[in-house]
Amino acid sequence: MPTTHPHPHRPRWRSLAILALLLAPLLWPLQQLAERYYSGVLVEQNRQTLDLYVANLLGTLRRYEVLPPILADLPAVRLALRQPQDHSVRHAANQLLSQVRQQTGADVIYLMAADGNTLAASNWQQDDSFVARNFSYRPYFKEAMHGRPGRFFGLGTTSGKRGYFFAAPIREGQQILGVMVVKIDLDHTETLWGQRPEQLLVTDSYGVVILTSQAQWRFHATRALDNVERATIADTQPYRVQSPPPLQLEANAWLRQERPLEDIGWTVSILTPQAQLDRPVRTAVAVGGSALLLLIMLLGLLMQRRRHYLERIALDSQARQQLEQRVLERTLDLERLNSRLRQEVLEREQAQQELVQAQDELVQASKLSALGTMSASISHELNQPLAAIRSYADNAGVLLDHQRGDDVRANLKLISQLTERMASIIAHLRAFARRDRHAPESVALQPAIDDALALLAKRRQAMQVELIRDLPNATLWVQAGETRLRQVLGNLLANALDALSEVPQPRRLWLSAELTAEGVDLHLRDNGPGFSQEALQRAREPFFTTKTSAQGLGLGLAICDTLMRALGGELLLANHPDGGAQLTLRLRAADQGIKTQSPEDFVV
Ligand code: ADP
C-alpha cells in the first residue's frame, strides 16, 4: 500500500498560522509608528492651514478695527449728532457712511445717538435700513458708551447675517455724544474654506460655533453653558437661537487642533476626519505588512533551505558512516576468511605432508613387495654366477692338478668377474630398496652433469661418441640431492652408451636444458636404436631389460624413476622423431645454494 500523508494541507496551514502570529506583534508597532508619523504630518499641515486662516480672519478684523474712531472724528458725523433733527445734515451723514462702506467693503456703517437710536446708516436707502432703529441692548453700544471700544459678534437682527461689530465712542470733551459702529460680514469667511475634508470651526467665548464649514454645526455649543452665560446670551441675542444646543461630535471620528485668538476670545479649530489619517496608516501597514510577510517568508525559505542542507549533510555523513561500517565489516569478514584460508592452507600442507609420507610409505611398500616378487629372479640371478663360480673353481682344482697354471689363472679371473657382477647386483638392490629420507636441497645442475660425464669419459671416448652439449652458462639450480642426481645422470648416460654401442658410427649424444614454469627440463638424446614399443611402456619396471644378463639388470630406470619422484620431479621416456631415445628429467627450480659434496655414496 502506498504511504500517503493523511493531512497534506496541515503543515501549510500550520505555517501560515505561525506566520500570522509572528506578523501580529510586528504589525502593531508598525501601525503605531505610521500613525505617529502621519498624525505628525497632519498636525503640521493643519497648523499651517490654521495659521493661514487665523491670519486671514485677524487681517479682516483688524482692517475694520481702526475705522470707527476715524469716522467718529469726521465733522459730518459730529454735525449729525449735534443736529439730529436737521434732515440735510442727516442726509449728508447717510451719504458719507454709504460712501465709506463702498470704499472699505464693510457690511454696514452706522451712527448711533447716545440713547441707542440710529441717526445715520450706510444702508439708509434699503428696506432693512438701520436708521431710526435702536440697538442699545447690544453690548458693543454699552461698551462704547462707557468710553471703551466695543466689539461684538452677533447675528444681524434685521439681516440675519453673522457680523462682527466694531464700535467707538464719539466724544465732545468729557461727554460721549454717540457711537460709531462698523459691522462686517463674516459669512464669506466660511466660503473661503471650500470643499476640503478638514472642517473649520470658530467658537466664541461661550464655546458656541459661530463660523463653520458644516452648516449643521452652526450655533451649537461645544461646552456646557452656565446660567449667567445663558442669561447674557438671551440678553444680547448673538445667535439665531436663544439657547444653543450642544454640538455632538463622534469622539473618535475627528482629530482636533485649535488656536485661541486672545484679543477677541475666540478659538479657531480644525477638525480632520479620522479616516484621513486611517487611510495612509492602513496603506503603510499593508505595505509594511506585505514587506514583513515577504521577509518572513524569505527567512522561512532560507531556514528551510538550511534545514534541507543540514539534513543532506547528516544523510551524507550517515551514508559515510554506514559505508565505513560496511567496509569495517567487510574487512573483518575478509580477515576471518583470510585466517580460515591460512588455517586451510596449514591443514592442506599438513595433509600433503601426510600424503607424501603415505605415498613414501606406499612406494616403500611397493618396493618391498617388488623385492618379494623379484626374490625369485634375484636368487636366479645370483645362483647363475654362483653356479658358474663353483664350476670354475672345481675346474680350476682339476687344472691345478694338471699343472695348467695359465688356465687356472683364467678361471680365477672369470670367478673374480662373476663376483664383481654379483656385487653389482647386490649394490643395485640396496640402492633400490633404500629408503631415502633426505629432503631435496639446492643442487647446481651443470657440475652434476660434468661429474657424471667424467665418470663415463673413458668409455665414451673409446666408443667415439660425439657429445653435443647445449646448456646455459649460468648455473641452473634445481631441487635434488647431490648424489641422487649424479646417480640418475650416470644411469641415463650409461644406458645411452649401451644403446649407441648397438649402432655404427656416427654415434651422437645430445644434452640440452629447457627452462620451464616449474624449473628445468634436461633432455638426454642419443641416436641409438631408441626404445622398442614394449620398452617404452615397461622400462620403468624393476628388472625389465632387453639386455643380456651380463649387460643389464633392468633396475637402472626403475631406480631413476623412484629417485626423481622422491625429488618432486619426473622422468619422461620418449623416442626422438629423428630416431634414437630422448629422456627428459623434469626438475624443479631451487634457490641459489652452495655447492657442496653430499656425504651420500655414489652407487651405479
Ligand atoms: P638395463 O640397462 O639393465 O637393461 P634399464 O632399466 O636401465 O636396465 O633399462 C631397461 C631397458 O630400457 C633397457 O634394457 C633397454 O631396452 C631400454 N633402454 C634404456 N635406455 C635406452 C636407450 N638409451 N636406448 C634404447 N633403449 C633403452
Side-chain angles (χ1 to χ4, degrees), residues 17 20 57 122 208 263 304 320 584 594:
L57 189 66
S122 59
V208 176
D263 334 353
Q304 200 182 25
R320 209 168 37 241
T584 301
I594 14 155

Side-chain angles (χ1 to χ4, degrees), residues 463-535:
M463 283 172 63
Q464 294 182 324
V465 175
E466 186 190 350
L467 179 69
I468 299 151
R469 190 179 158 127
D470 181 18
L471 295 170
N473 287 333
T475 309
L476 298 167
W477 290 91
V478 293
Q479 286 185 20
E482 288 272 0
T483 310
R484 282 170 284 172
L485 184 60
R486 281 174 176 75
Q487 191 177 351
V488 170
L489 289 169
N491 267 336
L492 299 187
L493 286 168
N495 272 354
L497 290 181
D498 284 348
L500 287 170
S501 65
E502 291 175 29
V503 292
Q505 288 290 350
R507 291 170 181 147
R508 290 199 179 106
L509 188 62
W510 288 268
L511 272 173
S512 62
E514 187 188 343
L515 293 177
T516 64
E518 290 89 33
V520 183
D521 278 1
L522 180 68
H523 304 294
L524 275 107
R525 178 192 161 195
D526 58 62
N527 62 343
F531 289 99
S532 68
Q533 206 55 41
E534 190 193 5

Side-chain angles (χ1 to χ4, degrees), residues 546-583:
T546 57
K547 298 168 190 171
T548 59
S549 60
Q551 281 176 328
L553 278 173
L555 284 171
L557 289 184
I559 291 169
C560 288
D561 187 51
T562 309
L563 287 177
M564 281 308 290
R565 277 197 275 124
L567 292 173
E570 215 178 336
L571 172 65
L572 304 172
L573 309 180
N575 283 325
H576 196 270
D578 297 340
Q582 169 154 307
L583 290 101

Side-chain angles (χ1 to χ4, degrees), residues 35-157:
E35 239 169 48
R36 202 174 305 159
Y37 172 75
Y38 283 108
S39 61
V41 170
L42 212 65
V43 162
E44 180 57 23
Q45 271 177 8
N46 288 346
R47 192 185 61 76
Q48 286 177 11
T49 313
L50 265 180
D51 283 349
L52 215 67
Y53 184 77
V54 166
N56 185 38
L57 189 66
L58 287 178
T60 307
L61 294 178
R62 285 199 181 118
R63 213 167 56 233
Y64 297 101
E65 192 179 8
V66 292
L67 209 53
I70 295 170
L71 292 175
D73 282 343
L74 291 179
V77 172
R78 285 179 176 273
L79 199 64
L81 274 177
R82 264 185 240 116
Q83 300 167 11
Q85 306 307 323
D86 188 334
H87 185 74
S88 64
V89 168
R90 277 171 52 193
H91 182 69
N94 277 336
Q95 275 192 327
L96 172 76
L97 293 182
S98 129
Q99 214 173 340
V100 173
R101 188 203 78 86
Q102 257 174 20
Q103 283 164 356
T104 57
D107 189 30
V108 187
I109 305 175
Y110 50 103
L111 174 69
M112 293 168 80
D115 58 0
N117 271 334
T118 306
L119 293 175
S122 59
N123 59 359
W124 61 282
Q125 275 179 317
Q126 291 168 14
D127 294 343
D128 54 352
S129 168
F130 286 3
V131 178
R133 294 184 62 178
N134 191 301
F135 297 118
S136 60
Y137 62 92
R138 294 287 204 185
Y140 60 84
F141 175 75
K142 289 174 185 163
E143 285 288 307
M145 284 309 289
H146 281 99
R148 294 187 292 269
R151 286 175 173 205
F152 176 68
F153 166 81
L155 222 54
T157 40

